[in-house]
């Protein structure tokens, strides 16, 4: 199990520095192309606005800023075709705020002021705040073009350079300046910050309750490794929500690495519990260790590839969500495989350890549904949720599913006298010597004796006594194992 914790730690450490992308952007574009996609933003119907500053060397011929919108897939029809730069520009009109010609004395669009600065060596274009009005939230795609790039005048220091060279600064807003919940958020991201703040409070309360339970379990020597893994999952999920709140407040857009780490920890927890680890036995067989290692390694590699492909090769002009990629589809398949593995292991444990029916019945039902909902939610969002709602719907689904899964385990493991589902009967100092095979052999003996008239709890946790059967604190609870222990 330590091996998987090391994997999770390395995974989280690597992606804590994963870059965030805000809705205020600035930089220098240098490209040998005559048409370059810059960014996209989903403007709200009545409150969206755009403001920008552009600078480029005067010897360059006129450069343009183009704005395409997603009406009837117009953007994709332009983006995927082999139209020339001039043909792409011809589809846009300045009066619709789609074509800004960045040139001295430009009068095409009121509110755009272009003038030479730095002793005439640089052209600077500053805009007013342009508003966008539409019937529903719409994506707008911003492109820089220079269709006359092949006729450009060489400039000292970059002789023979042909293409685009421009310094840009843009503010894309969906609210008034100073409104931290709306100003710099794309319409598809609105409410994500509020969701994360609410679930941060809920997760914090859940972690405090889990910590109090951990103290009680430790006093009774029942603080097993699976419960410690549950605390790790809670902590990673809480940190992911906190980092998401911080980065969104700083115009960021993701803290998904920590959230993925929390999901992996929860997956490892349910797989170990499904095999009976720390509940019926303290040591797993080689095949079970190999199964968990393979699944966790594949899931970790899948999440890593998901972020790596998004950062390196995902086309920002066409991809609205990181799951809409080959690694995302592969990860959905891996999660289904993990669900099948858990259902098979937990079902086998439920059938062989009758004394643990009250724990494994709810565990199997809750976590099978949880593991099915993870890929199902991703598939539904990718297939049926509109692009301008996908990010916030997916974020809400992920937060709800993880909170429900973690709350369910806390309720199952709550050490109250009236909780028949409590899984831990043996102390941490006792269970370490019980192998998976020993536990199954003792459970088989208990089933045989239980057939006389009642179930036998071979771990001393209770059992039926009907029809002349033995009680749960019967002699069998003290019988030695086959090897004499």
């Amino acid at each position: 199990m330590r091996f998987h914790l090391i994997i999770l730690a390395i995974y989280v450490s690597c992606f804590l520095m994963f870059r965030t992308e805000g809705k205020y952007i600035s930089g220098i574009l240098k490209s040998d192309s005559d048409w370059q996609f810059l960014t996209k933003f989903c403007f709200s119907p009545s409150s969206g606005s755009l403001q920008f500053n552009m600078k480029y060397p005067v010897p360059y011929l006129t450069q343009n800023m183009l704005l395409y919108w997603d009406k009837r897939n117009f953007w994709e029809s332009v983006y995927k075709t082999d139209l020339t730069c001039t043909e792409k520009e011809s589809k846009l009109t300045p009066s619709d705020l789609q074509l800004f010609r960045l040139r001295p004395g430009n009068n095409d669009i009121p509110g755009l002021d272009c003038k030479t600065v730095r002793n005439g060596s640089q052209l600077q274009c500053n805009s007013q705040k342009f508003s966008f009005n539409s019937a529903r939230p719409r994506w707008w795609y911003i492109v820089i073009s220079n269709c006359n790039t092949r006729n450009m005048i060489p400039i000292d220091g970059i002789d023979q350079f042909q293409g685009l060279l421009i310094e840009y600064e843009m503010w894309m807003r969906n609210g008034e300046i100073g409104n931290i919940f709306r100003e710099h958020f794309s319409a598809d991201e609105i409410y994500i910050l509020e969701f994360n703040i609410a679930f941060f409070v809920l997760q914090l309360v859940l972690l405090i309750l889990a910590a109090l339970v951990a103290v009680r379990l430790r006093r009774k020597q029942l603080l097993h490794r699976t419960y410690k893994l549950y605390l790790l999952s809670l902590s990673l999920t809480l940190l992911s929500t906190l980092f998401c709140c911080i980065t969104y407040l700083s115009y960021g857009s993701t803290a998904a690495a920590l959230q993925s780490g929390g999901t992996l920890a929860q997956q490892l927890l349910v797989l170990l519990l499904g095999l009976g680890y720390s509940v019926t036995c303290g040591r797993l067989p080689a095949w079970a260790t190999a199964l968990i290692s393979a699944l966790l390694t594949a899931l970790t590699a899948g999440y890593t590839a998901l972020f790596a492909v998004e950062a390196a090769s995902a086309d920002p002009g066409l991809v609205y969500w990181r799951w809409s990629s080959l690694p995302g589809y592969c990860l959905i398949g891996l999660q289904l495989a993990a669900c099948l593995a858990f259902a098979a292991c937990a079902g086998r444990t439920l059938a062989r350890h009758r004394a643990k029916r009250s724990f494994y019945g709810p565990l199997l039902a809750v976590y099978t549904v949880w593991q099915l909902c993870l890929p199902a939610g991703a598939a539904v969002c990718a297939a049926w949720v509109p692009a301008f709602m996908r990010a916030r719907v997916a974020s809400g689904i992920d937060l709800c599913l993880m909170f429900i899964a973690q709350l369910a385990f806390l309720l199952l493991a709550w050490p109250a006298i009236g909780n028949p589902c409590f899984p831990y009967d043996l102390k941490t100092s006792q269970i370490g010597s019980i192998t998976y095979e020993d536990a199954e052999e003792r459970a088989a003996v208990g089933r045989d004796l239980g057939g006389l008239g009642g179930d036998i709890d071979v771990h001393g946790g209770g059992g039926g006594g009907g029809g002349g059967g033995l009680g749960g604190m019967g002699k069998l609870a003290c019988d030695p194992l086959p090897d004499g222990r």
Side-chain angles (χ1 to χ4, degrees), residues 176-196:
E176 296 299 324
I177 296 176
N179 186 342
I180 61 174
F181 293 103
R182 295 291 181 272
E183 181 183 356
H184 283 283
F185 293 122
S186 182
D188 64 316
E189 296 176 336
I190 291 176
Y191 300 119
I192 291 182
L193 179 58
E194 292 94 317
F195 288 160
N196 278 273

Side-chain angles (χ1 to χ4, degrees), residues 263-282:
T263 302
L264 286 173
Q266 192 72 19
Q267 289 278 14
L268 178 57
L269 170 65
V270 298
L271 287 171
L272 289 173
L273 288 173
L275 289 163
Y277 182 76
S278 76
V279 177
T280 62
C281 66

Side-chain angles (χ1 to χ4, degrees), residues 119-434:
N119 298 323
S121 64
Q122 191 176 66
L123 180 71
Q124 177 173 320
C125 294
N126 299 329
S127 80
Q128 66 176 20
K129 186 171 70 172
F130 295 104
S131 299
F132 294 85
N133 295 310
S134 58
R136 66 167 180 81
R138 286 198 177 278
W139 286 96
W140 285 78
Y141 308 85
I142 301 176
V143 176
I144 302 297
S145 74
N146 187 346
C147 296
N148 297 318
T149 181
R150 303 307 171 191
N151 302 319
M152 291 167 62
I153 302 172
I155 304 175
D156 294 339
I158 51 171
D159 291 345
Q160 308 303 321
F161 177 79
Q162 294 179 327
L164 297 169
L165 180 60
I166 190 168
E167 182 179 353
Y168 61 88
E169 189 176 26
M170 291 186 184
W171 294 265
M172 290 158 280
R173 299 184 175 96
N174 274 322
E176 296 299 324
I177 296 176
N179 186 342
I180 61 174
F181 293 103
R182 295 291 181 272
E183 181 183 356
H184 283 283
F185 293 122
S186 182
D188 64 316
E189 296 176 336
I190 291 176
Y191 300 119
I192 291 182
L193 179 58
E194 292 94 317
F195 288 160
N196 278 273
I197 291 175
F199 275 95
F200 173 77
V201 175
L202 293 175
Q203 289 285 347
L204 182 60
V205 173
L206 194 63
L207 182 59
I208 293 173
L209 292 175
L212 294 175
V213 170
V215 172
R216 295 182 60 184
L217 293 177
R218 186 178 183 86
R219 290 174 181 170
K220 299 176 181 293
Q221 297 184 26
L222 296 175
L223 185 58
H224 290 276
R225 291 180 179 178
T226 45
Y227 196 87
K228 293 178 182 178
L229 185 58
Y230 169 66
L231 292 176
L232 173 64
S233 175
L234 278 175
S235 301
L236 288 175
T237 304
L238 182 68
L239 282 176
S240 73
T241 311
L242 174 62
F243 272 72
C244 192
C245 292
I246 293 173
T247 52
Y248 265 102
L249 287 170
S250 303
Y251 312 142
S253 64
T254 182
L258 278 171
Q259 183 180 5
S260 302
T263 302
L264 286 173
Q266 192 72 19
Q267 289 278 14
L268 178 57
L269 170 65
V270 298
L271 287 171
L272 289 173
L273 288 173
L275 289 163
Y277 182 76
S278 76
V279 177
T280 62
C281 66
R283 288 186 288 171
L284 295 177
W287 65 265
T289 303
L291 174 64
I292 292 178
S293 299
L295 284 174
L296 263 292
T297 301
L299 285 169
T300 302
Y303 278 111
T304 304
L306 189 67
F307 291 116
V309 168
E310 180 193 28
S313 61
D315 193 329
L318 298 177
V319 176
Y320 299 95
W321 189 36
R322 63 174 55 90
W323 287 79
S324 302
S325 62
L326 180 59
Y329 300 139
C330 292
L331 197 53
I332 290 175
L334 288 173
Q335 288 180 337
L336 289 174
C339 178
L340 293 176
F342 164 74
C345 294
R348 188 174 188 270
T349 304
L350 177 63
R352 291 176 177 267
H353 296 272
R354 295 179 181 177
K356 293 297 179 182
R357 287 191 301 245
S358 58
F359 172 71
Y360 276 100
L363 184 82
L364 180 61
V366 170
Y367 284 103
T368 299
V369 173
W370 173 69
Q371 289 187 314
L372 286 175
C373 285
L374 288 175
V380 168
C381 286
W384 289 293
V385 177
F388 65 89
M389 297 175 58
R390 193 169 297 161
R392 64 171 176 262
V393 171
S395 176
I397 290 175
D398 290 342
L399 290 170
C400 288
L401 288 177
M402 182 57 73
F403 180 76
I404 291 172
Q406 293 172 338
L407 177 62
F409 181 77
L410 182 62
L411 294 177
L412 290 175
W414 192 270
I417 297 177
N419 180 15
C421 302
F422 184 73
Y424 303 124
D425 293 330
L426 291 179
K427 299 182 183 297
T428 53
S429 58
Q430 296 172 325
I431 200 168
S433 61
I434 303 177

Side-chain angles (χ1 to χ4, degrees), residues 29 31-38 63-68 74-92 98-99 141-150 162-165 315 317-318:
L29 174 63
S31 171
D32 58 0
S33 173
D34 57 6
W35 189 89
Q36 182 69 45
F37 170 78
L38 194 61
Q63 300 195 59
N64 306 313
M65 188 176 79
L66 315 178
L67 274 73
Y68 295 86
F74 175 62
W75 163 251
E76 292 191 14
S77 66
V78 172
Y79 197 85
K80 294 181 178 180
T81 56
D82 295 327
L83 298 176
T84 65
C85 176
T86 304
E87 290 172 332
K88 291 177 180 179
E89 284 190 0
S90 66
K91 294 178 174 290
L92 308 177
Q98 289 184 280
L99 177 59
Y141 308 85
I142 301 176
V143 176
I144 302 297
S145 74
N146 187 346
C147 296
N148 297 318
T149 181
R150 303 307 171 191
Q162 294 179 327
L164 297 169
L165 180 60
D315 193 329
L318 298 177

